[in-house]
Amino acid sequence: MTIHPVQTSSFDKKQIDALIAEGCHSDALAAMRSFFFAAPTLSNASFVVARMPKVQHLQPSRVQMRLAILRSFTVEPAAALLRAYAALYGVDLEIRFGEFNTYAQELLSPTSFLAEFQPNIVVVAAQTRDLLPDAWDKSSLDLSIDLPAACERALADMQGYLQAYRSRSSASIVVQMLELPEWPVDGVLGSQASQSDVAMHISRFNNGLRETAAALDGVYLLDYDALVARHGRERWHDEQKWLTMRMPVSADCLPSLAQEYLRFVLPLAGKSCKALVCDLDNTLWGGVIGEDGIAGIKLDAEYPGAAYRALQQVIANLAKRGIILAVASKNNEADALLAIEQHSGMLLRAKDFSVMRINWNDKAQSLREIARELNIGIDSLAFIDDNPVERRRVQAELPEVCVIDLPADPMRYASALQACPVFERLTISSEDRERGRMYAEQRERAALEGSSGTLEEFYRSLKQTLEIAPVDDLSLARVAQLTQKTNQFNTTTLRCSEQEIASMAAKPDCDALCMRVTDRFGDNGIVAVALLRYSGDRCEIVDLLMSCRVIGRKVETAILAQIMRRARNEKGSNVLWGWFIPTAKNAPAAEFYPQHGFAAALTEGDGRTAWEYDLTQALLPSPDFIELVDAGASIDAPVDKIAA
Amino acid sequence: MSARPNLETVARVCAVVADLFSVPEDELSGASSPATVPAWDSMGQLNLILEIEQQFGIEMSQERVMKITDIDSIAEIIDSAAA
């Protein structure tokens, strides 16, 4: 047996306890999710369950459920993991176990522990080797064994147990179907047309179980063989643990077994998500539509676009299951809608999304509006976004939303979404099938609400640093590239070659500055450029641009505050002057000057506007949640602090 | 049995036991056993073995498992596997 090392999470137990002690409960809950999903071990499960009482007030719609597991093997460790998973998804599980191999008596007897426990859910977990031993390790060539008869009898028995319990209880019943043996008992001979292999009988038993379940209300089937096969039979089984502890599942696979049970618990507890809210850029397609344009985004049948197509296919399948789809994206609406409707690679179109929020608002706000417009609870929303900052922001603001942690590699997006247990359905109605369309038809935008009061907390939690430095040989290529590629936050969209930037940087009356931003998630690199020209007492912002990576995080305010201080304190300017030249794509920068206290100075016939700021008056304060880092160059923090 | 277990190993086992059975770590020592930790019953012992195997990357034989009496005895098994 291979033992896989426990994965590492970005959070540890000490940090989680510190967050709880500081009263940062929504951060603590988000951290516990990330922590446990990355390392679902038994001690971490105990840790999570022990701390849930501190944070569960964030999930007012928590549900209590009683689960009984009737079994033929040791299932307790998987159940311990299941309790932790369920708790993190808003379900408090009380779990009790039947004795070993007494599932028949427990289902049949009116005085078994089930009568007193009154479970909401009963799982019947019997293995092939216990329920149908002749099909597990005995040759089908053994003429003393009548496998078809054994199969019929086992099926009839199970049918009787289920009917008996059904007549006494309204609990939902989940029955594990049988698995195939790890090795074909008769080797390759068993697969040949002349033979009647054990695999055929097991599959007949499973089909019979389907018919039994169809005839009874509230009986659901767990395809145990598919679960085992998905992980690999050799990896799944642990013979030593089976022989010594009656536990057939390897420790590595216990979380998968627990998650499979969770896929039944969540819909039975009414905790499945009703809607999936999708980001667009680098989630539904590769690239940024506002920067790369419809011809530049990656979305087709080949690498790398195929990864995004695969994700769209999974989402389309969820919609068929009755999951409502919505969009929350920071983009110019017209650009994004054009891509959704016109791009040949899109599997999902505007009609598939019941609500779309494509704007520059905070995404937590967009999710609130989407829930309200769909008239469903916030806890019915799931959210996918490639950007960990957006995910964290939404999770901190809306702890009840199921925020899906997409892996860093887009090739794994589709399987990550499939692995997520919150979209499970045990039945499907015609209404489920039509739901998405109905919402789309009655789509009507509600008025936008004001901005969230806790945005500043979010900015603070990002722990951003800003470093401003003159362009040098090392940054020259990146700076020129930014001037050529940046479309959205760009005041004049001045495209420059490396030579042009270099010559500007060399002139005494000019500044070419570049800005590096880091946050708690890492270094964003050089993400902004300012080109300044000084003449007389005036400083002109020839161009100011910022990558969409850091839009909406007040970085532009900090940059502008630093430019003001540099112009006044070091260059003796009294006026800061800047043009805004509108393009098809730079709407995100349109309000930049007026929002920061600039007065309108000029309006040209072609729509260009000039703005000015009187530097002899109080300067724009720099946001105190963005730390200024000394770049060791001519812009330095001490001067700034004196001036501020 | 073998030499006294490594104190660092004992501390790491104590941390696992504390988390798994929700008891304060400072109440545990090498002598802590099923008799002194209420949640350490037979099923707790199974969970503990699984957890120790996973966290330390070892596999314990049934013969070794039978010799587990307290935290020190678990630490000894881990030390001998690492040696």
Side-chain angles (χ1 to χ4, degrees), chain A residues 381-444:
Chain A
L381 296 183
F383 175 57
I384 50 168
D385 194 312
D386 67 294
N387 184 341
V389 176
E390 296 287 7
R391 295 204 296 260
R392 203 188 112 71
R393 158 83 185 128
V394 165
Q395 191 71 88
E397 179 82 359
L398 306 171
E400 293 211 84
V401 169
C402 173
V403 176
I404 298 170
D405 259 327
L406 284 181
D409 178 4
M411 303 292 279
R412 293 171 52 217
Y413 283 0
S415 55
L417 187 61
Q418 283 175 302
C420 184
V422 301
F423 303 112
E424 295 297 348
R425 292 277 189 278
L426 291 168
T427 56
I428 183 152
S429 65
S430 55
E431 196 198 5
D432 287 328
R433 294 173 203 269
E434 294 295 310
R435 185 173 289 130
R437 189 183 56 79
M438 288 179 340
Y439 276 108
E441 280 173 2
Q442 41 171 279
R443 177 190 310 170
E444 195 175 327

Side-chain angles (χ1 to χ4, degrees), chain A residues 1 3-4 6 13 41-44 46-47 50 74 76-77 240-241 244-245 247 251-252 254, chain B residues 15-16 19-22 43 46-51 53-55 57-62 65:
Chain A
M1 189 189 84
I3 296 179
H4 295 255
V6 174
K13 293 174 187 175
T41 66
L42 287 160
S43 59
N44 291 348
S46 296
F47 176 88
T74 302
E76 281 83 346
Q240 193 231 6
K241 291 283 183 297
T244 56
M245 301 167 175
M247 194 181 80
D252 282 345
L254 285 174
Chain B
V16 174
D19 277 335
L20 195 59
F21 300 138
S22 298
M43 205 45 74
L46 166 58
N47 287 351
L48 180 58
I49 291 165
L50 291 173
E51 190 67 14
E53 287 189 338
Q54 209 168 25
Q55 292 211 6
I58 60 169
E59 197 173 340
M60 292 190 225
S61 68
Q62 183 63 8
V65 167

Side-chain angles (χ1 to χ4, degrees), chain A residues 1-5 40 231 235-236 249-256, chain B residues 54:
Chain A
M1 189 189 84
T2 45
I3 296 179
H4 295 255
H231 294 84
R235 198 184 146 219
W236 186 270
V249 185
S250 71
D252 282 345
C253 292
L254 285 174
S256 303
Chain B
Q54 209 168 25

